[in-house]
Amino acid sequence: MLTTQRSVSGSSQSPRSPSSQPYLSVSVTDPVKLGNGVQAYISYRVITKTNFPEYQGPEKIVIRRYSDFVWLRDRLFEKYKGVFIPPLPEKSAVEKFRFSAEFIEMRRQALDVFVNRIASHHELQQSEDLRTFLQADEETMERLRFHETGIFKKKPADLMQIFKDVQSKVSDVVLGKEKPVEESNPEYEKLKHYIFELENHLAEAQKHAYRLVKRHRELGQSLSDFGKAAKLLGACEGDALGKAFTELGAKSEALSIRLQKEAHQLLMNFEEPLKDYVRAVQSIKATIAERANAFRQQCELAETIKLKEINLEKLMLTRSDRVGEAEHEYKGLKAEGEEASRRFETMVRLMNEEIVRFQEQKTTDMGIAFHEFAKGQARLANSIADAWRSLLPKLETCSSA
């Protein structure tokens, strides 16, 4: 849960007195499995507390499923061009993982982060679609999901494919495989280079974080197996040696539990935040693709307007009876071109603001993640050292006997 205040900067703080200043607090809780087989899904309780006047009341509790979060993400992406829309966690297609306790908790945590990033964003928090998502009953949400047109009528799997296609298209542009009309803007080129480099480095870090989690779990399992074997060995022996083996087995099993807990903490507090930022960068790439499309549309319209202007001048020189029709068409296209230019300029301004906000938030989030990682590793190393150290006197006594 995150409590957010409405401000120009879009920062998130817990208000000292909720009644004295605007606040919006959202939490995603209580995941529950509903249905069976391929129709099974997880529902979540979404709790909103706010004093924003446009909301129905100070507190609202609704039930939402993953596809409702997808609906919100897609609506915002369509309406807020130039804004970096927070990413959603992936939808697991592997049946045995979809409903595991660990996956469900990771999904719940990621959805909580997603909706609170929206609620803390100074523009997105004003979205009518966010208010609908946080307040509408389940029947209304279902109706909205199934009665949208265009991209919103796509299934989540189709949307992911569209997103991947957008990523591929942007990659082709950046790598020079495709040669469309592009901005010759040094700052824009710098932004694209930074985002693609950042994605590569974050993905590499996340891959190794996954390996660290796996290593902790494997070591924990090995210590558990070794502990059982040592205790059985101790049962075969008598006196001091048997007792030493039994204590060695018990320490190994205790350390196994400690390693498994640390592996879970490493997954939730280190690997998942890294994975979340990989998704965030992919979302930014989708916005870059939208900007490239907006620039191309602006250029194409400008070219068409020039041709129409030349044609209009020719018709006026020849006193053609088609002058009126051509003039009307030219004015319409010119207005459309001006609107396209305004849209593009707004997108550029918003992206410039967004990248600053993104970098500031990334610095904070990554600082927390790496601090938690280092603290956890230090804690684990101390636990392991203390456990083995406590056994040394007894083992030394046996070895010198």
Side-chain angles (χ1 to χ4, degrees):
M1 184 188 77
L2 184 70
T3 301
T4 63
Q5 292 176 273
R6 182 175 292 176
S7 65
V8 176
S9 62
S11 62
S12 304
Q13 296 178 337
S14 296
R16 292 181 181 177
S17 174
S19 61
S20 64
Q21 52 188 317
Y23 72 97
L24 177 60
S25 167
V26 184
S27 57
V28 179
T29 64
D30 303 330
V32 176
K33 181 183 176 183
L34 299 173
N36 296 299
V38 294
Q39 300 298 322
Y41 65 93
I42 302 296
S43 72
Y44 306 88
R45 185 188 299 267
V46 179
I47 304 170
T48 304
K49 296 180 180 180
T50 183
N51 62 0
F52 286 5
E54 56 267 38
Y55 279 74
Q56 294 171 1
E59 181 172 324
K60 183 74 175 180
I61 300 175
V62 295
I63 303 300
R64 294 291 176 259
R65 56 188 295 181
Y66 180 78
S67 53
D68 295 323
F69 290 86
V70 172
W71 174 87
L72 176 61
R73 189 271 315 272
D74 292 336
R75 295 288 296 182
L76 295 176
F77 183 77
E78 183 68 16
K79 291 184 177 181
Y80 289 85
K81 301 299 184 184
V83 174
F84 298 159
I85 306 302
L88 279 171
E90 299 88 351
K91 187 166 187 177
S92 175
V94 183
E95 185 66 28
K96 68 176 181 177
F97 295 132
R98 279 180 65 203
F99 302 113
S100 69
E102 185 173 81
F103 177 80
I104 289 172
E105 175 55 22
M106 284 193 300
R107 167 68 65 77
R108 184 207 64 76
Q109 181 174 291
L111 292 175
D112 189 271
V113 170
F114 164 77
V115 74
N116 275 292
R117 280 180 174 162
I118 294 169
S120 64
H121 192 284
H122 65 287
E123 289 205 30
L124 299 181
Q125 69 175 200
Q126 300 172 38
S127 164
E128 184 179 343
D129 294 312
L130 176 62
R131 292 198 295 275
T132 298
F133 174 84
L134 294 176
Q135 298 181 116
D137 56 44
E138 290 91 282
E139 291 78 11
T140 300
M141 280 306 305
E142 185 175 6
R143 198 161 55 247
L144 287 169
R145 287 200 318 268
F146 287 100
H147 289 82
E148 293 292 352
T149 57
I151 187 171
F152 304 123
K153 208 169 183 179
K154 299 279 186 182
K155 295 178 182 177
D158 298 327
L159 290 166
M160 287 305 296
Q161 187 58 51
I162 290 171
F163 187 66
K164 288 174 183 176
D165 291 343
V166 167
Q167 287 180 252
S168 176
K169 196 170 189 180
V170 176
S171 298
D172 287 345
V173 169
V174 172
L175 295 174
K177 295 178 183 177
E178 203 176 298
K179 296 292 182 183
V181 178
E182 280 196 87
E183 291 181 66
S184 55
N185 183 328
E187 286 300 315
Y188 179 54
E189 291 301 319
K190 185 179 176 182
L191 170 63
K192 288 194 293 185
H193 179 75
Y194 166 72
I195 290 300
F196 277 80
E197 285 289 301
L198 181 62
E199 181 185 27
N200 291 335
H201 296 321
L202 282 171
E204 188 70 11
Q206 187 265 319
K207 180 178 73 176
H208 291 293
Y210 166 79
R211 289 176 179 172
L212 280 171
V213 173
K214 186 179 178 183
R215 178 186 162 199
H216 278 51
R217 285 177 169 166
E218 289 173 346
L219 181 56
Q221 186 59 52
S222 295
L223 277 171
S224 177
D225 295 339
F226 172 73
K228 290 182 177 69
K231 287 168 77 173
L232 289 172
L233 186 59
C236 294
E237 299 289 344
D239 303 327
L241 183 60
K243 188 176 180 182
F245 281 158
T246 300
E247 288 193 28
L248 177 63
K251 287 288 183 185
S252 296
E253 288 181 332
L255 283 175
S256 167
I257 294 170
R258 185 75 187 80
L259 272 161
Q260 294 296 351
K261 286 182 178 177
E262 194 57 47
H264 180 73
Q265 291 298 316
L266 190 61
L267 173 67
M268 301 303 291
N269 299 327
F270 189 58
E271 187 199 347
E272 275 300 304
L274 286 170
K275 188 186 292 184
D276 179 62
Y277 264 90
V278 172
R279 293 191 291 257
V281 169
Q282 291 170 347
S283 181
I284 293 172
K285 287 168 67 177
T287 306
I288 289 174
E290 288 289 303
R291 173 170 169 168
N293 286 334
F295 182 77
R296 284 196 291 272
Q297 288 171 9
Q298 177 187 250
C299 292
E300 287 166 4
L301 273 170
E303 189 63 31
T304 304
I305 289 166
K306 284 181 184 177
L307 293 174
K308 291 292 181 183
E309 186 176 11
I310 292 169
N311 183 56
L312 177 60
E313 289 173 354
K314 287 180 179 177
L315 291 173
M316 291 175 74
L317 285 172
T318 59
R319 300 179 184 275
S320 171
D321 55 1
R322 292 178 53 215
V323 168
E325 181 186 343
E327 192 170 19
H328 178 73
E329 189 176 353
Y330 169 73
K331 287 179 179 178
L333 272 173
K334 193 171 181 181
E336 191 178 338
E338 289 169 355
E339 179 58 31
S341 295
R342 280 193 295 270
R343 281 199 306 269
F344 176 72
E345 288 166 6
T346 299
M347 188 176 291
V348 170
R349 176 182 58 78
L350 287 172
M351 285 184 69
N352 289 340
E353 294 172 2
E354 288 289 286
I355 196 64
V356 172
R357 186 185 61 81
F358 169 77
Q359 289 173 318
E360 289 174 350
Q361 190 64 54
K362 175 173 61 66
T363 299
T364 300
D365 292 343
M366 289 295 99
I368 292 171
F370 278 89
H371 179 263
E372 287 297 314
F373 167 71
K375 189 168 67 174
Q377 293 303 292
R379 188 171 54 236
L380 178 63
N382 288 333
S383 297
I384 292 173
D386 290 343
W388 294 136
R389 193 179 293 113
S390 68
L391 283 175
L392 288 178
K394 295 175 183 176
L395 294 174
E396 285 171 356
T397 299
C398 292
S399 63
S400 62

